[in-house]
Amino acid sequence: MSLYVVATPLGNLEDITARAIRVLGEVDIIAAEDTRHSRILLAHFDIKKPVFSCHKFNEGKRGDFFVSAMLEGKSVALISDAGTPCISDPGSLLVKAAAEAGITVIPVCGANAVAAAVSVSGFDASRFIFVGFLPRGKSAVAALSNALSASPVAVFYESPRRIIGVLELIAQNFPTAQICLCNDISKKFERIYRGTPAEILAELSQNPSAEKGEYTCVLHGEPIAQESEPDDTFSLEARLADIMVKKDCTLKEAAADLFAKEKIPKKEIYAATLRLKNLL
C-alpha cells in the first residue's frame, strides 16, 4: 500500500517522465484534481485506471475513501491538473492523512512551474521565497515586502485577469525591482518577459494574448521601508514633561499635543496628567 504523489506536465505532454507513466499504469486508483482534465492525459498514454476526484472542495471527506483503500492494500496515485500536486494545488490533506495512517508516501518527481520559472530567471536563486497566489489589493504589496525581507527573490502565481493590476501595484511600490514573468509555461502562448515592472507592463499592453495562460512571476527586489511606530519607550508622564519643556507650554497644552500626534486614548492621557501633577 502506497500513495504516489505524481507530477504531471504543465502543458506539453512530452514533459511527463517515464516513471510517472509507469506508476500511473500500475496503481489501483488515481486521485485527480479534475477527472475530466486528467482523463485527457491518461487517454493519451493509454492508461486505464479508476479515476476519482480529489479537489479542494471534497479533499477532506474523500480522503477517508482513499486511505481506506490503501489500508486494504491498494495503491493510489495523486495528480493535479498540471505540475506537482500540493504546490498551491490540492492534495496536502490526503498526504497528511496517509502519513498519519502509516501509509508510505512516495514522490514521483517532475514538472513544477515555480522551479521552471526560477531556472530561467537569471537571478541568484540559492535562496528564494514562494508565496503562492498573492492576496488581493494592497495586501499583495505587504506580502511581497515581507517575503523580500527574508530573501531577495520572491516567486508567486497570478491569473491572467489579475496580472496587470498586480504589476501596477508592484510598479508603484517596487519601481526598481527586476522581474522575470513567465506566461503559459510549456503551452501555446508561452512567453517570458524581463525587466522592471513598468517595462513589462508596456510589453503586456502590446501583446493581444496577454490574458491567456497562467503566470509565474519571479521578483528580485528590496522590501519596502516600514514607517516607524510611535516611540512608546518612555512613559506618558515623561513624554508629557518632554513636550512641556520643548514647547514651553502648559500641561493641558502638552496633553492636547500628545493626543494629536499619537492618538492615545484621552482617558490614558488624562490619567497621566493627574499622576504627573502629583509628582510635581
Side-chain angles (χ1 to χ4, degrees), residues 228-265:
S228 59
E229 296 293 328
D231 184 6
D232 58 359
T233 303
F234 299 101
S235 66
L236 291 179
E237 293 86 346
R239 282 140 75 188
L240 286 167
D242 184 62
I243 294 171
M244 290 172 65
V245 171
K246 288 181 177 178
K247 295 195 172 185
D248 190 22
C249 63
T250 66
L251 179 56
K252 183 177 180 180
E253 291 169 334
D257 185 82
L258 183 61
F259 173 76
K261 284 182 177 179
E262 301 186 23
K263 302 302 181 185
I264 297 170

PDB file of all heavy atoms in Angstrom, residues 228-265:
ATOM      1  N   SER A 228       8.049  54.082  10.873  1.00  0.00           N
ATOM      2  CA  SER A 228       8.357  53.829  12.279  1.00  0.00           C
ATOM      3  C   SER A 228       7.135  54.035  13.147  1.00  0.00           C
ATOM      4  O   SER A 228       6.319  54.915  12.894  1.00  0.00           O
ATOM      5  CB  SER A 228       9.482  54.765  12.755  1.00  0.00           C
ATOM      6  OG  SER A 228       9.096  56.114  12.590  1.00  0.00           O
ATOM      7  N   GLU A 229       7.012  53.211  14.149  1.00  0.00           N
ATOM      8  CA  GLU A 229       5.903  53.308  15.084  1.00  0.00           C
ATOM      9  C   GLU A 229       6.184  54.397  16.115  1.00  0.00           C
ATOM     10  O   GLU A 229       7.338  54.742  16.372  1.00  0.00           O
ATOM     11  CB  GLU A 229       5.706  51.963  15.807  1.00  0.00           C
ATOM     12  CG  GLU A 229       5.301  50.838  14.889  1.00  0.00           C
ATOM     13  CD  GLU A 229       3.921  51.034  14.315  1.00  0.00           C
ATOM     14  OE1 GLU A 229       3.073  51.623  15.021  1.00  0.00           O
ATOM     15  OE2 GLU A 229       3.688  50.634  13.170  1.00  0.00           O
ATOM     16  N   PRO A 230       5.162  54.984  16.727  1.00  0.00           N
ATOM     17  CA  PRO A 230       5.376  55.975  17.767  1.00  0.00           C
ATOM     18  C   PRO A 230       6.265  55.409  18.870  1.00  0.00           C
ATOM     19  O   PRO A 230       6.140  54.237  19.235  1.00  0.00           O
ATOM     20  CB  PRO A 230       3.953  56.261  18.291  1.00  0.00           C
ATOM     21  CG  PRO A 230       3.051  55.889  17.165  1.00  0.00           C
ATOM     22  CD  PRO A 230       3.725  54.740  16.472  1.00  0.00           C
ATOM     23  N   ASP A 231       7.161  56.230  19.360  1.00  0.00           N
ATOM     24  CA  ASP A 231       8.095  55.792  20.397  1.00  0.00           C
ATOM     25  C   ASP A 231       7.378  55.727  21.736  1.00  0.00           C
ATOM     26  O   ASP A 231       7.056  56.740  22.330  1.00  0.00           O
ATOM     27  CB  ASP A 231       9.270  56.776  20.470  1.00  0.00           C
ATOM     28  CG  ASP A 231      10.319  56.315  21.475  1.00  0.00           C
ATOM     29  OD1 ASP A 231      10.175  55.205  22.005  1.00  0.00           O
ATOM     30  OD2 ASP A 231      11.267  57.082  21.707  1.00  0.00           O
ATOM     31  N   ASP A 232       7.111  54.485  22.200  1.00  0.00           N
ATOM     32  CA  ASP A 232       6.440  54.324  23.483  1.00  0.00           C
ATOM     33  C   ASP A 232       7.406  53.770  24.524  1.00  0.00           C
ATOM     34  O   ASP A 232       7.015  53.156  25.501  1.00  0.00           O
ATOM     35  CB  ASP A 232       5.205  53.420  23.360  1.00  0.00           C
ATOM     36  CG  ASP A 232       5.564  52.049  22.817  1.00  0.00           C
ATOM     37  OD1 ASP A 232       6.754  51.820  22.528  1.00  0.00           O
ATOM     38  OD2 ASP A 232       4.652  51.228  22.690  1.00  0.00           O
ATOM     39  N   THR A 233       8.728  54.034  24.291  1.00  0.00           N
ATOM     40  CA  THR A 233       9.727  53.562  25.243  1.00  0.00           C
ATOM     41  C   THR A 233       9.560  54.260  26.580  1.00  0.00           C
ATOM     42  O   THR A 233       9.729  53.672  27.650  1.00  0.00           O
ATOM     43  CB  THR A 233      11.151  53.825  24.695  1.00  0.00           C
ATOM     44  OG1 THR A 233      11.278  53.195  23.432  1.00  0.00           O
ATOM     45  CG2 THR A 233      12.211  53.293  25.653  1.00  0.00           C
ATOM     46  N   PHE A 234       9.222  55.559  26.528  1.00  0.00           N
ATOM     47  CA  PHE A 234       9.076  56.351  27.750  1.00  0.00           C
ATOM     48  C   PHE A 234       7.615  56.393  28.182  1.00  0.00           C
ATOM     49  O   PHE A 234       6.702  56.259  27.369  1.00  0.00           O
ATOM     50  CB  PHE A 234       9.597  57.775  27.517  1.00  0.00           C
ATOM     51  CG  PHE A 234      11.058  57.825  27.155  1.00  0.00           C
ATOM     52  CD1 PHE A 234      11.445  57.998  25.836  1.00  0.00           C
ATOM     53  CD2 PHE A 234      12.030  57.670  28.124  1.00  0.00           C
ATOM     54  CE1 PHE A 234      12.783  58.027  25.491  1.00  0.00           C
ATOM     55  CE2 PHE A 234      13.375  57.707  27.789  1.00  0.00           C
ATOM     56  CZ  PHE A 234      13.756  57.885  26.464  1.00  0.00           C
ATOM     57  N   SER A 235       7.405  56.603  29.455  1.00  0.00           N
ATOM     58  CA  SER A 235       6.045  56.671  29.997  1.00  0.00           C
ATOM     59  C   SER A 235       5.323  57.898  29.461  1.00  0.00           C
ATOM     60  O   SER A 235       5.944  58.846  28.956  1.00  0.00           O
ATOM     61  CB  SER A 235       6.109  56.740  31.525  1.00  0.00           C
ATOM     62  OG  SER A 235       6.701  57.968  31.928  1.00  0.00           O
ATOM     63  N   LEU A 236       3.992  57.874  29.591  1.00  0.00           N
ATOM     64  CA  LEU A 236       3.205  59.033  29.151  1.00  0.00           C
ATOM     65  C   LEU A 236       3.600  60.273  29.939  1.00  0.00           C
ATOM     66  O   LEU A 236       3.659  61.385  29.392  1.00  0.00           O
ATOM     67  CB  LEU A 236       1.714  58.739  29.317  1.00  0.00           C
ATOM     68  CG  LEU A 236       1.105  57.691  28.374  1.00  0.00           C
ATOM     69  CD1 LEU A 236      -0.371  57.499  28.683  1.00  0.00           C
ATOM     70  CD2 LEU A 236       1.291  58.104  26.922  1.00  0.00           C
ATOM     71  N   GLU A 237       3.878  60.083  31.238  1.00  0.00           N
ATOM     72  CA  GLU A 237       4.274  61.220  32.064  1.00  0.00           C
ATOM     73  C   GLU A 237       5.568  61.858  31.548  1.00  0.00           C
ATOM     74  O   GLU A 237       5.677  63.086  31.450  1.00  0.00           O
ATOM     75  CB  GLU A 237       4.472  60.775  33.522  1.00  0.00           C
ATOM     76  CG  GLU A 237       3.198  60.343  34.218  1.00  0.00           C
ATOM     77  CD  GLU A 237       2.869  58.881  33.973  1.00  0.00           C
ATOM     78  OE1 GLU A 237       3.460  58.266  33.072  1.00  0.00           O
ATOM     79  OE2 GLU A 237       2.013  58.349  34.694  1.00  0.00           O
ATOM     80  N   ALA A 238       6.526  61.010  31.187  1.00  0.00           N
ATOM     81  CA  ALA A 238       7.805  61.526  30.685  1.00  0.00           C
ATOM     82  C   ALA A 238       7.621  62.242  29.361  1.00  0.00           C
ATOM     83  O   ALA A 238       8.244  63.281  29.104  1.00  0.00           O
ATOM     84  CB  ALA A 238       8.792  60.384  30.535  1.00  0.00           C
ATOM     85  N   ARG A 239       6.751  61.693  28.498  1.00  0.00           N
ATOM     86  CA  ARG A 239       6.530  62.331  27.196  1.00  0.00           C
ATOM     87  C   ARG A 239       5.799  63.652  27.337  1.00  0.00           C
ATOM     88  O   ARG A 239       6.080  64.612  26.617  1.00  0.00           O
ATOM     89  CB  ARG A 239       5.766  61.362  26.284  1.00  0.00           C
ATOM     90  CG  ARG A 239       6.704  60.276  25.717  1.00  0.00           C
ATOM     91  CD  ARG A 239       6.092  58.919  25.667  1.00  0.00           C
ATOM     92  NE  ARG A 239       5.122  58.744  24.593  1.00  0.00           N
ATOM     93  CZ  ARG A 239       4.352  57.662  24.482  1.00  0.00           C
ATOM     94  NH1 ARG A 239       4.432  56.701  25.383  1.00  0.00           N
ATOM     95  NH2 ARG A 239       3.512  57.544  23.481  1.00  0.00           N
ATOM     96  N   LEU A 240       4.869  63.711  28.288  1.00  0.00           N
ATOM     97  CA  LEU A 240       4.182  64.982  28.554  1.00  0.00           C
ATOM     98  C   LEU A 240       5.166  66.031  29.056  1.00  0.00           C
ATOM     99  O   LEU A 240       5.149  67.193  28.608  1.00  0.00           O
ATOM    100  CB  LEU A 240       3.061  64.773  29.577  1.00  0.00           C
ATOM    101  CG  LEU A 240       1.804  64.060  29.073  1.00  0.00           C
ATOM    102  CD1 LEU A 240       0.922  63.643  30.253  1.00  0.00           C
ATOM    103  CD2 LEU A 240       1.011  64.959  28.116  1.00  0.00           C
ATOM    104  N   ALA A 241       6.028  65.646  29.977  1.00  0.00           N
ATOM    105  CA  ALA A 241       7.020  66.582  30.520  1.00  0.00           C
ATOM    106  C   ALA A 241       7.976  67.046  29.423  1.00  0.00           C
ATOM    107  O   ALA A 241       8.354  68.225  29.370  1.00  0.00           O
ATOM    108  CB  ALA A 241       7.794  65.911  31.653  1.00  0.00           C
ATOM    109  N   ASP A 242       8.342  66.125  28.529  1.00  0.00           N
ATOM    110  CA  ASP A 242       9.240  66.475  27.436  1.00  0.00           C
ATOM    111  C   ASP A 242       8.613  67.516  26.517  1.00  0.00           C
ATOM    112  O   ASP A 242       9.276  68.470  26.081  1.00  0.00           O
ATOM    113  CB  ASP A 242       9.578  65.206  26.649  1.00  0.00           C
ATOM    114  CG  ASP A 242      10.589  65.455  25.551  1.00  0.00           C
ATOM    115  OD1 ASP A 242      11.726  65.851  25.880  1.00  0.00           O
ATOM    116  OD2 ASP A 242      10.252  65.255  24.359  1.00  0.00           O
ATOM    117  N   ILE A 243       7.328  67.333  26.221  1.00  0.00           N
ATOM    118  CA  ILE A 243       6.625  68.302  25.365  1.00  0.00           C
ATOM    119  C   ILE A 243       6.553  69.657  26.048  1.00  0.00           C
ATOM    120  O   ILE A 243       6.768  70.705  25.409  1.00  0.00           O
ATOM    121  CB  ILE A 243       5.205  67.795  25.021  1.00  0.00           C
ATOM    122  CG1 ILE A 243       5.298  66.535  24.152  1.00  0.00           C
ATOM    123  CG2 ILE A 243       4.393  68.868  24.296  1.00  0.00           C
ATOM    124  CD1 ILE A 243       3.971  65.839  23.935  1.00  0.00           C
ATOM    125  N   MET A 244       6.262  69.663  27.344  1.00  0.00           N
ATOM    126  CA  MET A 244       6.166  70.926  28.078  1.00  0.00           C
ATOM    127  C   MET A 244       7.483  71.698  28.033  1.00  0.00           C
ATOM    128  O   MET A 244       7.502  72.923  27.841  1.00  0.00           O
ATOM    129  CB  MET A 244       5.784  70.647  29.533  1.00  0.00           C
ATOM    130  CG  MET A 244       4.360  70.150  29.717  1.00  0.00           C
ATOM    131  SD  MET A 244       4.020  69.616  31.417  1.00  0.00           S
ATOM    132  CE  MET A 244       4.179  71.170  32.297  1.00  0.00           C
ATOM    133  N   VAL A 245       8.597  70.970  28.185  1.00  0.00           N
ATOM    134  CA  VAL A 245       9.914  71.625  28.181  1.00  0.00           C
ATOM    135  C   VAL A 245      10.265  72.132  26.792  1.00  0.00           C
ATOM    136  O   VAL A 245      10.701  73.283  26.608  1.00  0.00           O
ATOM    137  CB  VAL A 245      10.996  70.653  28.686  1.00  0.00           C
ATOM    138  CG1 VAL A 245      12.392  71.244  28.484  1.00  0.00           C
ATOM    139  CG2 VAL A 245      10.772  70.338  30.158  1.00  0.00           C
ATOM    140  N   LYS A 246      10.089  71.273  25.792  1.00  0.00           N
ATOM    141  CA  LYS A 246      10.487  71.634  24.436  1.00  0.00           C
ATOM    142  C   LYS A 246       9.625  72.742  23.834  1.00  0.00           C
ATOM    143  O   LYS A 246      10.115  73.573  23.067  1.00  0.00           O
ATOM    144  CB  LYS A 246      10.439  70.399  23.536  1.00  0.00           C
ATOM    145  CG  LYS A 246      11.555  69.393  23.810  1.00  0.00           C
ATOM    146  CD  LYS A 246      11.461  68.203  22.872  1.00  0.00           C
ATOM    147  CE  LYS A 246      12.624  67.237  23.107  1.00  0.00           C
ATOM    148  NZ  LYS A 246      12.539  66.029  22.236  1.00  0.00           N
ATOM    149  N   LYS A 247       8.326  72.740  24.171  1.00  0.00           N
ATOM    150  CA  LYS A 247       7.423  73.731  23.584  1.00  0.00           C
ATOM    151  C   LYS A 247       7.067  74.862  24.540  1.00  0.00           C
ATOM    152  O   LYS A 247       6.317  75.774  24.170  1.00  0.00           O
ATOM    153  CB  LYS A 247       6.141  73.041  23.098  1.00  0.00           C
ATOM    154  CG  LYS A 247       6.398  72.062  21.948  1.00  0.00           C
ATOM    155  CD  LYS A 247       5.109  71.688  21.246  1.00  0.00           C
ATOM    156  CE  LYS A 247       5.396  70.872  19.999  1.00  0.00           C
ATOM    157  NZ  LYS A 247       4.167  70.577  19.221  1.00  0.00           N
ATOM    158  N   ASP A 248       7.615  74.777  25.767  1.00  0.00           N
ATOM    159  CA  ASP A 248       7.343  75.810  26.780  1.00  0.00           C
ATOM    160  C   ASP A 248       5.837  76.070  26.885  1.00  0.00           C
ATOM    161  O   ASP A 248       5.348  77.186  26.727  1.00  0.00           O
ATOM    162  CB  ASP A 248       8.068  77.116  26.414  1.00  0.00           C
ATOM    163  CG  ASP A 248       8.007  78.134  27.557  1.00  0.00           C
ATOM    164  OD1 ASP A 248       7.805  77.716  28.716  1.00  0.00           O
ATOM    165  OD2 ASP A 248       8.135  79.342  27.273  1.00  0.00           O
ATOM    166  N   CYS A 249       5.096  74.955  27.118  1.00  0.00           N
ATOM    167  CA  CYS A 249       3.643  75.056  27.166  1.00  0.00           C
ATOM    168  C   CYS A 249       3.116  74.482  28.480  1.00  0.00           C
ATOM    169  O   CYS A 249       3.871  73.919  29.281  1.00  0.00           O
ATOM    170  CB  CYS A 249       3.021  74.333  25.982  1.00  0.00           C
ATOM    171  SG  CYS A 249       3.355  72.552  25.954  1.00  0.00           S
ATOM    172  N   THR A 250       1.830  74.601  28.678  1.00  0.00           N
ATOM    173  CA  THR A 250       1.204  74.080  29.888  1.00  0.00           C
ATOM    174  C   THR A 250       0.978  72.588  29.776  1.00  0.00           C
ATOM    175  O   THR A 250       1.079  72.010  28.682  1.00  0.00           O
ATOM    176  CB  THR A 250      -0.147  74.765  30.134  1.00  0.00           C
ATOM    177  OG1 THR A 250      -1.042  74.383  29.071  1.00  0.00           O
ATOM    178  CG2 THR A 250       0.000  76.282  30.168  1.00  0.00           C
ATOM    179  N   LEU A 251       0.658  71.941  30.901  1.00  0.00           N
ATOM    180  CA  LEU A 251       0.381  70.512  30.899  1.00  0.00           C
ATOM    181  C   LEU A 251      -0.833  70.203  30.029  1.00  0.00           C
ATOM    182  O   LEU A 251      -0.851  69.205  29.292  1.00  0.00           O
ATOM    183  CB  LEU A 251       0.152  70.025  32.335  1.00  0.00           C
ATOM    184  CG  LEU A 251      -0.175  68.537  32.520  1.00  0.00           C
ATOM    185  CD1 LEU A 251       0.902  67.661  31.909  1.00  0.00           C
ATOM    186  CD2 LEU A 251      -0.370  68.213  34.002  1.00  0.00           C
ATOM    187  N   LYS A 252      -1.844  71.076  30.102  1.00  0.00           N
ATOM    188  CA  LYS A 252      -3.045  70.862  29.294  1.00  0.00           C
ATOM    189  C   LYS A 252      -2.713  70.915  27.807  1.00  0.00           C
ATOM    190  O   LYS A 252      -3.195  70.099  27.015  1.00  0.00           O
ATOM    191  CB  LYS A 252      -4.090  71.924  29.633  1.00  0.00           C
ATOM    192  CG  LYS A 252      -5.415  71.747  28.898  1.00  0.00           C
ATOM    193  CD  LYS A 252      -6.420  72.798  29.354  1.00  0.00           C
ATOM    194  CE  LYS A 252      -7.756  72.613  28.625  1.00  0.00           C
ATOM    195  NZ  LYS A 252      -8.750  73.633  29.058  1.00  0.00           N
ATOM    196  N   GLU A 253      -1.853  71.877  27.442  1.00  0.00           N
ATOM    197  CA  GLU A 253      -1.461  72.003  26.031  1.00  0.00           C
ATOM    198  C   GLU A 253      -0.607  70.809  25.594  1.00  0.00           C
ATOM    199  O   GLU A 253      -0.721  70.327  24.466  1.00  0.00           O
ATOM    200  CB  GLU A 253      -0.695  73.314  25.831  1.00  0.00           C
ATOM    201  CG  GLU A 253      -1.570  74.554  25.972  1.00  0.00           C
ATOM    202  CD  GLU A 253      -0.762  75.836  26.028  1.00  0.00           C
ATOM    203  OE1 GLU A 253       0.430  75.785  26.454  1.00  0.00           O
ATOM    204  OE2 GLU A 253      -1.306  76.885  25.653  1.00  0.00           O
ATOM    205  N   ALA A 254       0.239  70.328  26.496  1.00  0.00           N
ATOM    206  CA  ALA A 254       1.069  69.172  26.179  1.00  0.00           C
ATOM    207  C   ALA A 254       0.205  67.928  25.957  1.00  0.00           C
ATOM    208  O   ALA A 254       0.473  67.108  25.073  1.00  0.00           O
ATOM    209  CB  ALA A 254       2.065  68.926  27.303  1.00  0.00           C
ATOM    210  N   ALA A 255      -0.850  67.797  26.769  1.00  0.00           N
ATOM    211  CA  ALA A 255      -1.756  66.661  26.626  1.00  0.00           C
ATOM    212  C   ALA A 255      -2.460  66.703  25.266  1.00  0.00           C
ATOM    213  O   ALA A 255      -2.600  65.669  24.597  1.00  0.00           O
ATOM    214  CB  ALA A 255      -2.776  66.672  27.759  1.00  0.00           C
ATOM    215  N   ALA A 256      -2.884  67.889  24.863  1.00  0.00           N
ATOM    216  CA  ALA A 256      -3.545  68.046  23.572  1.00  0.00           C
ATOM    217  C   ALA A 256      -2.582  67.713  22.432  1.00  0.00           C
ATOM    218  O   ALA A 256      -2.955  67.064  21.442  1.00  0.00           O
ATOM    219  CB  ALA A 256      -4.083  69.464  23.420  1.00  0.00           C
ATOM    220  N   ASP A 257      -1.336  68.141  22.581  1.00  0.00           N
ATOM    221  CA  ASP A 257      -0.330  67.881  21.555  1.00  0.00           C
ATOM    222  C   ASP A 257      -0.036  66.377  21.432  1.00  0.00           C
ATOM    223  O   ASP A 257       0.070  65.840  20.332  1.00  0.00           O
ATOM    224  CB  ASP A 257       0.958  68.633  21.909  1.00  0.00           C
ATOM    225  CG  ASP A 257       2.021  68.502  20.826  1.00  0.00           C
ATOM    226  OD1 ASP A 257       1.957  69.249  19.834  1.00  0.00           O
ATOM    227  OD2 ASP A 257       2.892  67.624  20.969  1.00  0.00           O
ATOM    228  N   LEU A 258       0.063  65.693  22.560  1.00  0.00           N
ATOM    229  CA  LEU A 258       0.337  64.256  22.559  1.00  0.00           C
ATOM    230  C   LEU A 258      -0.793  63.478  21.919  1.00  0.00           C
ATOM    231  O   LEU A 258      -0.580  62.536  21.146  1.00  0.00           O
ATOM    232  CB  LEU A 258       0.570  63.774  23.996  1.00  0.00           C
ATOM    233  CG  LEU A 258       0.949  62.297  24.166  1.00  0.00           C
ATOM    234  CD1 LEU A 258       2.253  61.995  23.442  1.00  0.00           C
ATOM    235  CD2 LEU A 258       1.056  61.940  25.639  1.00  0.00           C
ATOM    236  N   PHE A 259      -2.029  63.890  22.211  1.00  0.00           N
ATOM    237  CA  PHE A 259      -3.187  63.224  21.620  1.00  0.00           C
ATOM    238  C   PHE A 259      -3.209  63.422  20.106  1.00  0.00           C
ATOM    239  O   PHE A 259      -3.468  62.488  19.338  1.00  0.00           O
ATOM    240  CB  PHE A 259      -4.485  63.760  22.226  1.00  0.00           C
ATOM    241  CG  PHE A 259      -5.725  63.221  21.536  1.00  0.00           C
ATOM    242  CD1 PHE A 259      -6.158  61.926  21.771  1.00  0.00           C
ATOM    243  CD2 PHE A 259      -6.436  64.010  20.633  1.00  0.00           C
ATOM    244  CE1 PHE A 259      -7.277  61.416  21.121  1.00  0.00           C
ATOM    245  CE2 PHE A 259      -7.560  63.506  19.985  1.00  0.00           C
ATOM    246  CZ  PHE A 259      -7.985  62.212  20.241  1.00  0.00           C
ATOM    247  N   ALA A 260      -2.905  64.655  19.645  1.00  0.00           N
ATOM    248  CA  ALA A 260      -2.927  64.957  18.217  1.00  0.00           C
ATOM    249  C   ALA A 260      -1.873  64.155  17.465  1.00  0.00           C
ATOM    250  O   ALA A 260      -2.103  63.696  16.337  1.00  0.00           O
ATOM    251  CB  ALA A 260      -2.703  66.450  17.993  1.00  0.00           C
ATOM    252  N   LYS A 261      -0.720  63.932  18.078  1.00  0.00           N
ATOM    253  CA  LYS A 261       0.378  63.232  17.409  1.00  0.00           C
ATOM    254  C   LYS A 261       0.192  61.717  17.399  1.00  0.00           C
ATOM    255  O   LYS A 261       0.424  61.053  16.388  1.00  0.00           O
ATOM    256  CB  LYS A 261       1.712  63.559  18.091  1.00  0.00           C
ATOM    257  CG  LYS A 261       2.269  64.932  17.761  1.00  0.00           C
ATOM    258  CD  LYS A 261       3.619  65.112  18.449  1.00  0.00           C
ATOM    259  CE  LYS A 261       4.248  66.453  18.088  1.00  0.00           C
ATOM    260  NZ  LYS A 261       5.543  66.659  18.774  1.00  0.00           N
ATOM    261  N   GLU A 262      -0.221  61.144  18.511  1.00  0.00           N
ATOM    262  CA  GLU A 262      -0.182  59.691  18.651  1.00  0.00           C
ATOM    263  C   GLU A 262      -1.556  59.035  18.831  1.00  0.00           C
ATOM    264  O   GLU A 262      -1.658  57.809  18.889  1.00  0.00           O
ATOM    265  CB  GLU A 262       0.727  59.308  19.820  1.00  0.00           C
ATOM    266  CG  GLU A 262       2.151  59.811  19.632  1.00  0.00           C
ATOM    267  CD  GLU A 262       3.075  59.309  20.730  1.00  0.00           C
ATOM    268  OE1 GLU A 262       2.761  58.268  21.353  1.00  0.00           O
ATOM    269  OE2 GLU A 262       4.099  59.950  20.985  1.00  0.00           O
ATOM    270  N   LYS A 263      -2.605  59.848  18.931  1.00  0.00           N
ATOM    271  CA  LYS A 263      -3.972  59.322  19.063  1.00  0.00           C
ATOM    272  C   LYS A 263      -4.118  58.338  20.222  1.00  0.00           C
ATOM    273  O   LYS A 263      -4.852  57.355  20.132  1.00  0.00           O
ATOM    274  CB  LYS A 263      -4.406  58.640  17.755  1.00  0.00           C
ATOM    275  CG  LYS A 263      -4.355  59.552  16.544  1.00  0.00           C
ATOM    276  CD  LYS A 263      -5.222  60.794  16.701  1.00  0.00           C
ATOM    277  CE  LYS A 263      -5.166  61.671  15.474  1.00  0.00           C
ATOM    278  NZ  LYS A 263      -5.893  62.939  15.646  1.00  0.00           N
ATOM    279  N   ILE A 264      -3.402  58.603  21.298  1.00  0.00           N
ATOM    280  CA  ILE A 264      -3.545  57.790  22.501  1.00  0.00           C
ATOM    281  C   ILE A 264      -4.889  58.132  23.134  1.00  0.00           C
ATOM    282  O   ILE A 264      -5.287  59.300  23.164  1.00  0.00           O
ATOM    283  CB  ILE A 264      -2.399  58.095  23.493  1.00  0.00           C
ATOM    284  CG1 ILE A 264      -1.055  57.701  22.849  1.00  0.00           C
ATOM    285  CG2 ILE A 264      -2.589  57.351  24.811  1.00  0.00           C
ATOM    286  CD1 ILE A 264       0.145  58.162  23.628  1.00  0.00           C
ATOM    287  N   PRO A 265      -5.627  57.147  23.639  1.00  0.00           N
ATOM    288  CA  PRO A 265      -6.935  57.431  24.245  1.00  0.00           C
ATOM    289  C   PRO A 265      -6.859  58.571  25.268  1.00  0.00           C
ATOM    290  O   PRO A 265      -5.940  58.615  26.095  1.00  0.00           O
ATOM    291  CB  PRO A 265      -7.314  56.106  24.900  1.00  0.00           C
ATOM    292  CG  PRO A 265      -6.635  55.078  24.058  1.00  0.00           C
ATOM    293  CD  PRO A 265      -5.327  55.700  23.659  1.00  0.00           C
TER     294      PRO A 265
END
